[in-house]
Amino acid sequence: MSSDTLLHAANFSTLFVCMVLKFPQIFVLIRAKSTAGVSLNSLLLELTGFIVFVTYQMYYDYPPPTYLEYPILIAQDAILLLLILHYNGSLRQSLVYTLLFVGGWRLLTVDKWIIDLAMSLCTFISAASKFAQLQCLWSSKDAGQVSALSWAMATYSCIARIYTTTVTTGDMQVLVRFIIMTLLNMWVLLTVLYYQRQRRSRSKKDD
C-alpha cells in the first residue's frame, strides 16, 4: 500500500469514526436519562481544546482533511453538553456557555500570539479534560453511563492522527498533543472497562 493511499485511508477512517464518535455516549444518556459517571468539567475542557485546535489549524491554513472531524466533534459535544445540563436541571446555563465559547473563539483570532499561546496550552487543557473524567470515575468507582465505545473510537482517531500529522505538516506541537491524547484516552477506556467489569461481577453475585 502506497503512502498516499495509507494517508487517505487514515484521513477518511478518522473522519468516519468521528462522525459517530459521540453517538454511543449520546444514546446512553438519552436511554438512561442520567449523567452518572459523566464529568461535566471534562466535557467543557474537551470542548475548549477542540475549539482551540481547529482554530489553530484553520489560522495556519493546514490541509482541511487533517482537522475536518473537529467541527463535527464540536457539534456532538455541544449536544452532549445540552443533554447533561438538561438531566442535571441546569439547562439555563447553556446560554452562558454559548456566549463564553463564541466569545473565546473570536478572541483567539485577534492576533497571532494569542492563537499560538492558546495552542501551546491546548495539550494541557485536553489532558485536564481526561483527568477530570478519570477523577469522576475514581471517586464514584463506577463507570455509570460512560460509553466505552466512544472512548475506544477516540483512542483510534488519535492514533490515526499521529500518522497523518507525521506525514503531512510534521507540526511537533500537534504531534505531541495526539500522542498524549492517545495515552490518556486509552487510560480512560481501560478504567471504564474495569469498572464495567466490576459492576457485572457484582450483578452476578447478587443473582
Side-chain angles (χ1 to χ4, degrees):
M1 185 181 290
S2 69
S3 58
D4 282 347
T5 303
L6 191 57
L7 178 61
H8 287 312
N11 278 328
F12 283 112
S13 65
T14 302
L15 180 60
F16 175 75
V17 166
C18 289
M19 285 176 67
V20 297
L21 193 151
K22 300 289 183 175
F23 281 18
Q25 185 64 77
I26 290 170
F27 294 149
V28 167
L29 290 183
I30 292 174
R31 185 173 65 249
K33 292 182 170 48
S34 167
T35 63
V38 181
S39 170
L40 174 60
N41 290 336
S42 173
L43 182 62
L44 292 172
L45 287 166
E46 180 180 74
L47 196 49
T48 302
F50 284 167
I51 291 171
V52 170
F53 185 77
V54 74
T55 305
Y56 175 86
Q57 298 266 343
M58 293 172 67
Y59 187 87
Y60 284 103
D61 292 322
Y62 281 177
T66 63
Y67 64 84
L68 200 57
E69 71 270 19
Y70 279 87
I72 300 170
L73 288 172
I74 289 170
Q76 292 178 59
D77 266 359
I79 294 171
L80 264 178
L81 178 59
L82 289 174
L83 285 173
I84 291 174
L85 293 175
H86 171 66
Y87 292 129
N88 288 348
S90 51
L91 190 57
R92 290 181 180 178
Q93 293 180 15
S94 60
L95 179 59
V96 177
Y97 288 126
T98 300
L99 292 174
L100 286 173
F101 280 122
V102 172
W105 173 67
R106 296 291 295 175
L107 178 64
L108 287 172
T109 54
V110 169
D111 205 307
K112 179 180 179 295
W113 72 267
I114 297 177
I115 188 63
D116 286 343
L117 176 62
M119 186 58 197
S120 67
L121 297 173
C122 185
T123 299
F124 296 102
I125 294 169
S126 297
S129 77
K130 313 306 176 188
F131 280 114
Q133 182 58 63
L134 284 167
Q135 181 61 42
C136 187
L137 291 168
W138 292 334
S139 61
S140 65
K141 298 188 185 304
D142 187 358
Q145 309 307 325
V146 181
S147 170
L149 181 56
S150 283
W151 284 100
M153 289 193 289
T155 302
Y156 168 78
S157 67
C158 285
I159 292 172
R161 280 304 176 214
I162 291 173
Y163 172 74
T164 60
T165 302
T166 301
V167 299
T168 53
T169 65
D171 190 314
M172 280 306 297
Q173 276 198 94
V174 175
L175 189 58
V176 168
R177 178 184 182 276
F178 281 128
I179 292 171
I180 293 173
M181 290 307 101
T182 297
L183 296 174
L184 291 177
N185 281 336
M186 198 173 296
W187 191 358
V188 175
L189 172 61
L190 293 174
T191 304
V192 170
L193 292 173
Y194 171 75
Y195 285 126
Q196 285 181 346
R197 184 177 179 181
Q198 278 200 330
R199 185 169 56 184
R200 284 195 295 268
S201 297
R202 287 196 299 268
S203 298
K204 287 180 181 178
K205 287 180 181 179
D206 292 340
D207 293 341

